[in-house]
mmCIF file of all heavy atoms in Angstrom:
data_model
loop_
_atom_site.group_PDB
_atom_site.id
_atom_site.type_symbol
_atom_site.label_atom_id
_atom_site.label_comp_id
_atom_site.label_asym_id
_atom_site.label_seq_id
_atom_site.Cartn_x
_atom_site.Cartn_y
_atom_site.Cartn_z
ATOM 1 N N GLY A 53 30.434 59.697 116.676
ATOM 2 C CA GLY A 53 31.078 58.461 116.122
ATOM 3 C C GLY A 53 30.540 57.122 116.619
ATOM 4 O O GLY A 53 31.104 56.100 116.296
ATOM 5 N N GLU A 54 29.599 57.247 117.648
ATOM 6 C CA GLU A 54 29.204 55.983 118.273
ATOM 7 C C GLU A 54 28.239 55.206 117.349
ATOM 8 O O GLU A 54 27.436 55.702 116.587
ATOM 9 C CB GLU A 54 28.329 56.445 119.509
ATOM 10 C CG GLU A 54 29.186 56.265 120.826
ATOM 11 C CD GLU A 54 28.310 56.736 121.914
ATOM 12 O OE1 GLU A 54 27.338 56.017 122.181
ATOM 13 O OE2 GLU A 54 28.702 57.866 122.571
ATOM 14 N N VAL A 55 28.325 53.930 117.535
ATOM 15 C CA VAL A 55 27.372 52.917 116.868
ATOM 16 C C VAL A 55 26.012 53.095 117.428
ATOM 17 O O VAL A 55 25.884 52.894 118.674
ATOM 18 C CB VAL A 55 27.918 51.497 116.815
ATOM 19 C CG1 VAL A 55 26.902 50.535 116.294
ATOM 20 C CG2 VAL A 55 29.266 51.387 116.055
ATOM 21 N N ILE A 56 25.023 53.351 116.648
ATOM 22 C CA ILE A 56 23.654 53.397 117.133
ATOM 23 C C ILE A 56 22.742 52.261 116.787
ATOM 24 O O ILE A 56 21.685 52.070 117.354
ATOM 25 C CB ILE A 56 22.973 54.849 116.699
ATOM 26 C CG1 ILE A 56 23.160 54.908 115.176
ATOM 27 C CG2 ILE A 56 23.650 55.926 117.412
ATOM 28 C CD1 ILE A 56 22.434 56.143 114.647
ATOM 29 N N GLY A 57 23.273 51.490 115.782
ATOM 30 C CA GLY A 57 22.411 50.406 115.383
ATOM 31 C C GLY A 57 23.055 49.681 114.199
ATOM 32 O O GLY A 57 24.298 49.947 113.792
ATOM 33 N N PHE A 58 22.409 48.669 113.673
ATOM 34 C CA PHE A 58 22.937 47.834 112.550
ATOM 35 C C PHE A 58 21.794 47.617 111.554
ATOM 36 O O PHE A 58 20.600 47.505 111.924
ATOM 37 C CB PHE A 58 23.426 46.508 113.039
ATOM 38 C CG PHE A 58 24.710 46.514 113.850
ATOM 39 C CD1 PHE A 58 24.629 46.756 115.311
ATOM 40 C CD2 PHE A 58 25.840 46.452 113.272
ATOM 41 C CE1 PHE A 58 25.777 46.800 116.032
ATOM 42 C CE2 PHE A 58 27.100 46.537 114.013
ATOM 43 C CZ PHE A 58 27.072 46.650 115.416
ATOM 44 N N GLU A 59 22.202 47.498 110.250
ATOM 45 C CA GLU A 59 21.272 47.099 109.240
ATOM 46 C C GLU A 59 21.611 45.657 108.955
ATOM 47 O O GLU A 59 22.821 45.341 108.776
ATOM 48 C CB GLU A 59 21.427 47.988 107.921
ATOM 49 C CG GLU A 59 20.472 47.479 106.820
ATOM 50 C CD GLU A 59 20.557 48.329 105.593
ATOM 51 O OE1 GLU A 59 21.354 49.292 105.451
ATOM 52 O OE2 GLU A 59 19.719 47.975 104.636
ATOM 53 N N ALA A 60 20.566 44.866 108.984
ATOM 54 C CA ALA A 60 20.754 43.437 108.605
ATOM 55 C C ALA A 60 20.748 43.296 107.022
ATOM 56 O O ALA A 60 19.793 43.880 106.379
ATOM 57 C CB ALA A 60 19.660 42.515 109.198
ATOM 58 N N LEU A 61 21.712 42.644 106.419
ATOM 59 C CA LEU A 61 21.779 42.464 105.038
ATOM 60 C C LEU A 61 21.785 40.964 104.679
ATOM 61 O O LEU A 61 22.650 40.303 105.191
ATOM 62 C CB LEU A 61 22.813 43.284 104.343
ATOM 63 C CG LEU A 61 22.692 44.847 104.536
ATOM 64 C CD1 LEU A 61 24.093 45.599 104.408
ATOM 65 C CD2 LEU A 61 21.771 45.335 103.414
ATOM 66 N N LEU A 62 21.011 40.602 103.672
ATOM 67 C CA LEU A 62 20.858 39.144 103.376
ATOM 68 C C LEU A 62 21.922 38.614 102.460
ATOM 69 O O LEU A 62 22.345 39.382 101.522
ATOM 70 C CB LEU A 62 19.582 38.891 102.779
ATOM 71 C CG LEU A 62 19.052 37.472 102.481
ATOM 72 C CD1 LEU A 62 19.008 36.745 103.762
ATOM 73 C CD2 LEU A 62 17.563 37.604 101.887
ATOM 74 N N ARG A 63 22.514 37.456 102.716
ATOM 75 C CA ARG A 63 23.451 36.907 101.857
ATOM 76 C C ARG A 63 23.008 35.329 101.558
ATOM 77 O O ARG A 63 22.502 34.756 102.375
ATOM 78 C CB ARG A 63 24.826 36.749 102.587
ATOM 79 C CG ARG A 63 25.425 38.132 102.930
ATOM 80 C CD ARG A 63 25.847 38.850 101.599
ATOM 81 N NE ARG A 63 26.447 40.136 101.761
ATOM 82 C CZ ARG A 63 25.738 41.243 101.715
ATOM 83 N NH1 ARG A 63 24.417 41.233 101.441
ATOM 84 N NH2 ARG A 63 26.357 42.492 101.786
ATOM 85 N N TRP A 64 23.185 35.074 100.288
ATOM 86 C CA TRP A 64 22.805 33.706 99.766
ATOM 87 C C TRP A 64 24.069 33.031 99.208
ATOM 88 O O TRP A 64 24.659 33.448 98.339
ATOM 89 C CB TRP A 64 21.765 33.862 98.731
ATOM 90 C CG TRP A 64 21.386 32.478 98.085
ATOM 91 C CD1 TRP A 64 21.380 31.288 98.795
ATOM 92 C CD2 TRP A 64 20.701 32.217 96.847
ATOM 93 N NE1 TRP A 64 20.913 30.322 97.965
ATOM 94 C CE2 TRP A 64 20.380 30.877 96.756
ATOM 95 C CE3 TRP A 64 20.319 33.135 95.800
ATOM 96 C CZ2 TRP A 64 19.826 30.309 95.724
ATOM 97 C CZ3 TRP A 64 19.728 32.600 94.741
ATOM 98 C CH2 TRP A 64 19.429 31.207 94.640
#
Side-chain angles (χ1 to χ4, degrees):
E54 262 176 63
V55 172
I56 50 178
F58 289 91
E59 177 176 5
L61 293 159
L62 186 57
R63 295 293 177 264
W64 180 21

